[in-house]
Amino acid sequence: MADFNFVFRDYSEEESKIYEKAIKEIIQNIKDGMSFRDAVDSVYVEDKELKAFIEDDALKILIAELCYVSKIPFEELANMLKIPLDTIRTANREMLEDIALTLNNTFNKKKGGNA
């Protein structure tokens, strides 16, 4: 995890609305048969940094829902989304690192000073 650069971002109310709307549109576009790239590219977000977070999160959401919940193999998801398998694997690794970091931060906050 030494090379892992996790970025926390606090969204404004407006950014949160843009984020939620874009995620929903991307997911719907994929359900309608678009490739991942086309689904992301079809959603306009002026802020390029926010758009990058949305793209990253959308892929992680798809991995969580389709691979972990629906048990679709990574290879099948990569074919469905028309993206390289390595992209799925990298996003999955990052997602698991995100989860580990969140759990560690949560545990450390609850740990208190009685040690």
Side-chain angles (χ1 to χ4, degrees), residues 44-75:
Y44 177 75
V45 176
E46 186 174 342
D47 180 332
K48 301 233 183 284
E49 185 179 339
L50 179 58
K51 175 90 178 233
F53 277 104
I54 290 167
E55 179 177 348
D56 189 54
D57 285 356
L59 183 54
K60 290 174 183 175
I61 290 166
L62 289 164
I63 291 169
E65 290 181 359
L66 298 176
C67 296
Y68 287 97
V69 176
S70 297
K71 306 293 186 202
I72 293 174
F74 287 167
E75 295 81 4

Side-chain angles (χ1 to χ4, degrees), residues 38-103:
D38 289 344
V40 169
D41 289 347
S42 71
V43 174
Y44 177 75
V45 176
E46 186 174 342
D47 180 332
K48 301 233 183 284
E49 185 179 339
L50 179 58
K51 175 90 178 233
F53 277 104
I54 290 167
E55 179 177 348
D56 189 54
D57 285 356
L59 183 54
K60 290 174 183 175
I61 290 166
L62 289 164
I63 291 169
E65 290 181 359
L66 298 176
C67 296
Y68 287 97
V69 176
S70 297
K71 306 293 186 202
I72 293 174
F74 287 167
E75 295 81 4
E76 189 175 329
L77 181 62
N79 288 334
M80 182 180 7
L81 299 178
K82 298 175 184 75
I83 59 176
L85 178 58
D86 283 346
T87 301
I88 299 287
R89 288 185 173 145
T90 298
N92 181 65
R93 186 188 78 247
E94 290 173 359
M95 180 179 66
L96 295 175
E97 289 171 346
D98 292 351
I99 292 167
L101 184 60
T102 299
L103 289 173

Side-chain angles (χ1 to χ4, degrees), residues 1-7 97:
M1 259 170 97
D3 64 343
F4 182 57
N5 295 322
F6 187 78
V7 177
E97 289 171 346

